[in-house]
Amino acid sequence: MARRGALFGENGEPIAGYARVAVERGLDSAEGGLTYAVPASMDDAARPGRRVTVPLGRGSTPTTGFVLERMSELEEGLEPEKVKAILKVEDALAGLPEDLMNLAKWVAAYYVCPLGMVLQTMLPAAVKRQTGLSTKTLVRRSAFARSPELKLTKLQRAIVDAASETQWVPRKRLMEAAGAKTAGPVAKLIELGVLETREVRVVDAELESPDWSQRGATDVALMPAQRDAVDRLARTLGAFAVSLLHGVTGSGKTEVYLRLIERLRKADTRAGVIVLVPEISLTPQAVARYASRFAWESEQTNPVAVLHSGMTAAQRHAQWRRIRAGEARLVVGARSAVFAPIENLRLIIVDEEHDASYKQDQLPRYHARDVAVRRAQLAGCPVVMGSATPALESYANAMRGRFDIVSLPDRVPGARLPEVETVDLVEERRERAKADPKDQRVHLLSRRLEDLLARALDGGGQAVLLLNRRGFANYLACPDQRCGWLMQCEHCDTLMVYHLPESALRDPKSKDGGVVRCHHCLTEQRLPDACPECGKKIVLFGMGTQRVEQELRQKFPGARLLRMDADAMRSGRDFRRALWAFQTGQADVLLGTQMIAKGLDVPNVRLVGVVSADTSLNFPDFRASERTFQLIAQVSGRAGRGTHPGRVVLQTMQPGDPTIWDAAAHDYVSFARRELEVREQAGLPPSSRLARIVVRHVKKVEAFAGVTRLHQALSAAVTQLGVPVRLVPPSPCPIERIADHHRFQVLLFAERAADLQQVLTALRNVIGTVSDAHTAIDVDPVGLL
Ligand code: ADP
Ligand code: ZN
Ligand code: ZN
């Protein structure tokens, strides 16, 4: 039986009730929050989602947290005299709306992460710290401005004319509009009462306004398939539903999203929409496409908010406030935008839903696509996910009837899918040696690829070359097979990669030797001259984007080349600039890693070359085939978007691999059917659900002891609960050691996610904090190294 607690708090103030507060620390022990008394003066403010300061522990240290729920009575077992009171409630704009609190609880439970940490992720630090918040004066014309006796100077008159009687504008903007160079005239008008003022708290960190010239065509006539898609998707508006828009690259999916949003907003101008896109495709052009469609609603305010990781703290805060205040009704953003505090949410779109960047690789390890589905369910609105290469998880859901599938089988009028040809690299090597036995050079480009590249460039076309590996060579070895020395990282069980200095690429005579780097722990050292075991000169095997660049420079000295990979592009800004340069024809060949495979819509691309399809095919991960198919399909999708037909050359040592066949035939359905069967037989996702727990420690025995304890606790939980969960006993991770830490894993398979949840929750209750520096739980893992 609950009972009433004390009526008065420590300082004599009446108590209006109680609240559960999640303190913002990694505390896992108090999952439901800690109980505090709510002083009467805070009764209205201390709603769920609001940020509060509470006394914590023996010393009553002031600690921040979130109100989880309110209670009028104190629960059993708590002594009213011992319940402390909330100290302070923060501004509403610094907290979370109530519906997000429910989502947070789900994320914490599903991804096995302390609730406080989930809340921290949901509310950006910039919002909490109120970064960039300042007071600004807004002005408008008063009724007195109409007074006929008013004597004004010419400039004053211009200012009055520029001011609106209904709309408040910043002082600065009015000065600019009227051409006033100093603040004096406006101040004088305020003093006279001709202008009235209002103070507002704002964050002065607007983003650059979108480049309207990049909006793209607004009045294209939809193809019948697009029209059907819009109609079908529009029918799902108003209730929870998930649709998968499966459209080949360049089939006009974005146009379908835009029309759907337009329909929604015509029916309900207050409707909130979230559009998720992979971080890398969040270019100014993409944003302009969304922003421009809704400009007709209001010339003054841009109804689109943007959220991505490249923003300053103040910019993020500014965007957040616009969303929270209801000014922005459409949020376009990367992964974390799934938590945007938009009200009256009526639609979520997840573009390129297969993209691995939707999964966060640190706590909370959430998948934005899956969180989007949950959020839509809570809000009672539909989700539309789109892709040319749906994740097998999504496709399987569509096959099971959980998602509705809507297809766009053709490209937009005028564009055709490119013709794909495969080059067998083993045969190519043999043939080349036969044709020119004296040629000792390494050739990463086959003669066919060289030939087609020359033709594309001669015809004034552009080309895209993909190699999903950075650096120059990834295999540094002793030439003497009896010695067998291989350059490995001292801190990881991985091979070191040789990076040539960028200057040496441009100047072949450069003497700079470059560095050898580990891509996992980032250790670097100079390239050793000789084998440390036997003293022979080291040879460089393997390939990387730098090596392709070098070869292109030798074979196509006239071509303007652009390389895009994590070494050449230091920031999102570098990336957007390079993309822009290629889009505007300032480069002929774009060479890079997977970052070039996404979203690029350049009509003049006539050739796409995949330098090696094998790098991703041989990856030690059960999703290797799926990744390879996606990568090839996406990069091929860059060709043939204009009037010139596109061509794709696929180089591989495994031309008989069925994934390569299907990719060459643009046959997603054939690929998906076969691969789903393979997964089914192996009991792998999506035919099962997977969770992975990794234990790491600098001492191998400790890591092993830790993983064994964990496995025992899990086994006990499975037996006790009697749930159908299969445990794979401890084994070393595919990369056994990273940055001097030994790594072991336990895998959990189940048919239903709920069964995995039960076991993981039990584990959490038994051993308390399970996610710490040594232990990482990953539910629905995407990376498995
Ligand atoms: P996707 O997202 O499927 O790759 P987009 O929506 O970006 O495709 O469309 C590719 C290009 O085709 C864009 O430049 C777009 O403006 C254009 N487009 C879309 N629909 C049509 C249409 N019905 N007719 C002509 N062009 C279209
Ligand atoms: Zn390393
Ligand atoms: Zn040697």
Side-chain angles (χ1 to χ4, degrees), residues 478 480 483-485 531 533-536:
C478 174
D480 188 339
C483 169
W485 179 84
C531 169
E533 305 282 329
C534 71
K536 294 204 178 61

Side-chain angles (χ1 to χ4, degrees), residues 10-186:
E10 295 148 66
N11 57 1
E13 197 186 339
I15 293 297
Y18 298 89
R20 290 237 189 215
V21 174
V23 291
E24 264 179 273
R25 293 238 195 112
L27 289 178
D28 211 22
S29 49
E31 211 29 62
L34 303 169
T35 302
Y36 286 92
V38 180
S41 61
M42 301 178 193
D43 190 20
D44 281 344
R47 308 309 317 164
R50 293 290 288 267
R51 270 187 105 225
V52 292
T53 305
V54 293
L56 185 70
R58 291 237 182 99
S60 286
T61 319
T63 308
T64 52
F66 289 84
V67 176
L68 290 177
E69 60 180 311
R70 285 288 299 268
M71 304 160 305
S72 51
E73 319 254 300
L74 200 57
E75 66 262 52
E76 193 68 22
L78 283 181
E79 290 178 42
E81 307 76 47
K82 294 214 172 128
V83 176
K84 295 175 194 168
I86 294 175
L87 301 173
K88 188 179 165 216
V89 185
E90 306 287 336
D91 183 48
L93 287 184
L96 291 166
E98 203 165 337
D99 64 325
L100 275 182
M101 292 303 285
N102 294 327
L103 187 65
K105 287 180 200 165
W106 179 82
V107 170
Y110 188 83
Y111 294 104
V112 199
C113 177
L115 183 58
M117 221 171 225
V118 176
L119 294 169
Q120 234 164 339
T121 302
M122 283 190 168
L123 194 68
V127 179
K128 263 178 274 177
R129 292 195 209 104
Q130 305 272 291
T131 311
L133 191 66
S134 64
T135 304
K136 201 171 187 175
T137 307
L138 301 183
V139 291
R140 74 176 181 190
R141 202 182 331 158
S142 73
F144 181 57
R146 284 193 233 126
S147 163
E149 285 118 83
L150 214 54
K151 291 242 163 22
L152 297 175
T153 65
K154 214 168 137 202
L155 180 58
Q156 283 172 337
R157 175 50 61 197
I159 293 170
V160 173
D161 287 344
S164 156
E165 208 163 278
T166 50
Q167 200 159 18
W168 294 99
V169 297
R171 239 168 130 129
K172 260 250 184 73
R173 181 134 30 108
L174 182 60
M175 282 167 56
E176 280 163 17
K181 300 249 156 34
T182 61
V186 171

Side-chain angles (χ1 to χ4, degrees), residues 473-589:
N474 67 320
Y475 206 77
L476 288 65
C478 174
D480 188 339
Q481 290 194 349
R482 286 163 304 173
C483 169
W485 179 84
L486 246 179
M487 188 155 191
Q488 280 174 305
C489 176
E490 280 174 30
H491 310 283
C492 312
D493 291 334
T494 52
L495 295 176
M496 298 292 271
V497 180
Y498 175 55
H499 288 254
L500 207 62
E502 299 292 330
S503 59
L505 276 170
R506 267 164 237 127
D507 172 17
K509 289 189 205 77
S510 163
K511 286 273 178 296
D512 195 344
V515 293
V516 177
R517 191 177 299 149
C518 169
H519 285 185
H520 292 271
C521 71
L522 308 181
T523 301
E524 242 181 48
Q525 65 179 82
R526 297 199 62 80
L527 176 67
D529 290 329
C531 169
E533 305 282 329
C534 71
K536 294 204 178 61
K537 192 171 160 41
I538 289 176
V539 284
L540 307 173
F541 292 110
M543 47 175 114
T545 44
Q546 283 191 323
R547 200 164 200 165
V548 181
E549 178 175 346
Q550 192 182 60
E551 189 172 325
L552 277 168
R553 283 182 184 281
Q554 285 160 5
K555 290 179 175 169
F556 297 88
R560 292 167 305 165
L561 188 66
L562 201 58
R563 198 182 95 230
M564 260 192 195
D565 55 33
D567 299 315
M569 304 283 124
R570 290 293 153 119
S571 66
R573 197 141 144 261
D574 285 351
F575 174 76
R576 287 191 285 274
R577 274 209 194 134
L579 216 53
W580 181 243
F582 189 65
Q583 248 152 1
T584 50
Q586 297 168 56
D588 306 308
V589 182

Side-chain angles (χ1 to χ4, degrees), residues 220-223 226 250-255 289 412-413 601 641:
V220 292
L222 291 186
M223 298 185 294
Q226 282 174 309
S251 57
K253 292 185 286 297
T254 309
E255 194 58 42
R289 256 182 109 178
V412 298
D601 185 20
R641 288 182 165 243

Side-chain angles (χ1 to χ4, degrees), residues 608-663:
V608 166
V610 178
V611 177
S612 167
D614 308 321
T615 48
S616 64
L617 205 53
N618 297 334
F619 218 66
D621 183 327
F622 73 86
R623 288 195 181 88
S625 294
E626 185 177 359
R627 295 269 155 70
T628 304
F629 185 90
Q630 285 167 353
L631 197 58
I632 296 174
Q634 295 289 344
V635 75
S636 302
R638 306 310 119 208
R641 288 182 165 243
T643 42
H644 282 274
R647 276 183 171 283
V648 178
V649 175
L650 204 57
Q651 303 195 139
T652 174
M653 311 244 259
Q654 302 159 75
D657 188 284
T659 299
I660 303 278
W661 274 79
D662 285 331

